[in-house]
Amino acid sequence: MTEQRKTTIKYEISFIEPQAHYAEVTLTLNGFETDFLDLKMPVWTPGSYLVREFSRHVEGFHTETSDAASIQHEKISKNTWRIFNNGKNAVVKYRLYGFETSVRTNFIDDSHAFISPAGTFFYVDGLIDHASTVHIDLPGYWTKISTGLPEIEHHTFKAENFDILYDSPFEIGNQDVWTIDCNGIPHEFAMVGGGNYDKDQLTADVQKIVAEETRIWGSNPNDRYVFVTHNYQQAYGGLEHLNSTILASSRNAYQQKLSYNNYLTLVAHEYFHLWNVKRLRPAPLGPFDYEQENYTSLLWIMEGFTSYYDNLITYRCDFRDEEDYLQTLAQEFNLVYNRPGYALQSAGLSSFDTWIKQYRPDENSANTSISYYNKGAILSVALDLKIIAESKGEKRLDDVLKAAYEQFYLKEQRGFEEAEFQALAEEVSGVDLSEIFRAVYANGELDYNKYFNSVGYELIDLLAENKTLSLGIRTANNDTRIIIKGVDRNSSAWKAGLNVNDEIIGINGVRLDPAGRELEQVLQHGELGQIIEILIARDGIIRTIAVPLAYSDKKSIQIRRNTSAKEAEKVLGKLWLKR
């Protein structure tokens, strides 16, 4: 009986033509005593729920033995290459194009390379649990590598399995790097693209965020963590990973209070995911199937809870005052209520349909859908306030999250089902939360004021009595032409037949000027039900459409202290917004 050879999977990335946005990848497969191996590239990346077809960027796929003899291969599906190694060690070489500026896709140029592993590395079919190493052949003009993977040799990093590899991006270049000590845990900060940030201030503020979030969850699972920020002229966003995050910001955002607080909120959001989704997670979100959609109706918990807490944490860290915090919370309500789609799509359905809707917005998306980020946030505040009020301040949502993390991740090491998450939440809080959990799948709205009133606050619509006239359209000035970019469902424009991409030429026989002032005049001085004649060009054809003026149904939600609140309610409100 022959002893089975040890199998190894090794990658090497080099950069011959970064200015043309290419990386070269060499994959060495040793010890596989099989006739053939199927190499698969993921079609999506965890945390960004869209099939992106990363294999479309693979070029020049070539296979050979370790002594450079040719090996036959064939492509058998959109993301699968079969190599006929016949028990021999195999070397696979391919080029990878990357030129998409996002936190979830490869970007390579002569200044730096951002490597998103799901769009870069093949896994061997059936061996997702196999360990691998990645060696970066660092060119002389770059000096630094930032990644959450441990470095086992000079510029060589190890992943215990492909789930870890696909959750560990690489930033390669000349980024500004420094280390922040947070309760004895090193947190590397890597700034790419310059910026007007203050290192000392940023260090102190991130330490506060890490401390507050660790307090909420009870423990920190990290030995080390990496923040990578890509600074652009204009950008905002982030993607969470197991022990790192990739952020996008504007390089001049750090000296203005509003934009800096927004950046800190982004930091708080992505770091909160260290627990909420990367460890505490719904059952379908791991282990992953990297070849197709992984459906769950619970992203309203994973992203919605996180969207509620990110602003709350910046308030608790004293970056925002109460007025500022309440404005940011009210904005979540406005973002939901001012999308006509909120009457059609529930938070649960929004979560489930993220694969076809969230990352593929079109001109009608506002009429058909909502975001589980915003809707989840307002459901989260309802849960928090209900728990605080009915437990007389003894419990709050913090306690539920900590208990769920300890139960499902630390103790049972598994994903949860929705029913058991609700059951645990009710057990920990001692409060019946069924009304809110039912609302997750309902199109109607909860009486959110009931929850705010219970802690001495109120939610009001500043436009409730407003009689502003509206057509229900959104326009943009395109090279002096006024173009319709959105038409609200059931608005007068919707019913009359105005379309997205129509060019508005004139109103009531008067040509529009490039600023569209005639339209504003009609809306300001017209009367309810008045018919206006709108001259449009649609696909080069001129026509007139009669549209009646109607009142706007837009809302402007504000959250403020309830002056008629009872003393006990005010006490609970202080507990809610306790720093």
Side-chain angles (χ1 to χ4, degrees), residues 111 134 141 146 189 233 235 241 248 322 339 341 394 412 419 449 467 486 492 502 532 550 562:
S111 66
V134 178
Y141 41 82
S146 297
F189 236 83
Q233 187 173 23
H241 296 283
E322 181 177 310
R339 288 176 68 95
E394 293 296 319
E412 299 181 9
N449 235 336
K467 301 300 183 183
S492 58
D502 286 351
I532 62 174
N562 184 0

Side-chain angles (χ1 to χ4, degrees), residues 71-116:
I71 291 178
Q72 181 185 356
H73 72 267
E74 64 176 318
K75 190 174 184 179
I76 61 174
S77 75
K78 65 181 181 180
N79 67 316
T80 308
W81 280 257
R82 177 168 290 174
I83 63 170
F84 297 92
N85 59 309
N86 295 316
K88 298 178 181 178
N89 295 336
V91 178
V92 180
K93 298 181 180 180
Y94 55 95
R95 301 189 81 203
L96 201 67
Y97 181 77
F99 194 52
E100 185 177 349
T101 52
S102 83
V103 296
R104 60 190 69 86
T105 50
N106 288 327
F107 181 89
I108 305 160
D109 70 5
D110 58 4
S111 66
H112 78 112
F114 171 63
I115 300 299
S116 178

Side-chain angles (χ1 to χ4, degrees), residues 559-572:
I559 301 169
R560 65 188 185 188
R561 294 191 183 194
N562 184 0
T563 56
S564 59
K566 299 176 182 177
E567 191 59 36
E569 294 168 344
K570 293 179 181 178
V571 170
L572 294 174

Side-chain angles (χ1 to χ4, degrees), residues 32-38 76 82-87 124:
F32 290 93
E33 298 177 334
T34 57
D35 292 334
F36 65 85
L37 295 169
D38 286 343
I76 61 174
R82 177 168 290 174
I83 63 170
F84 297 92
N85 59 309
N86 295 316
V124 179

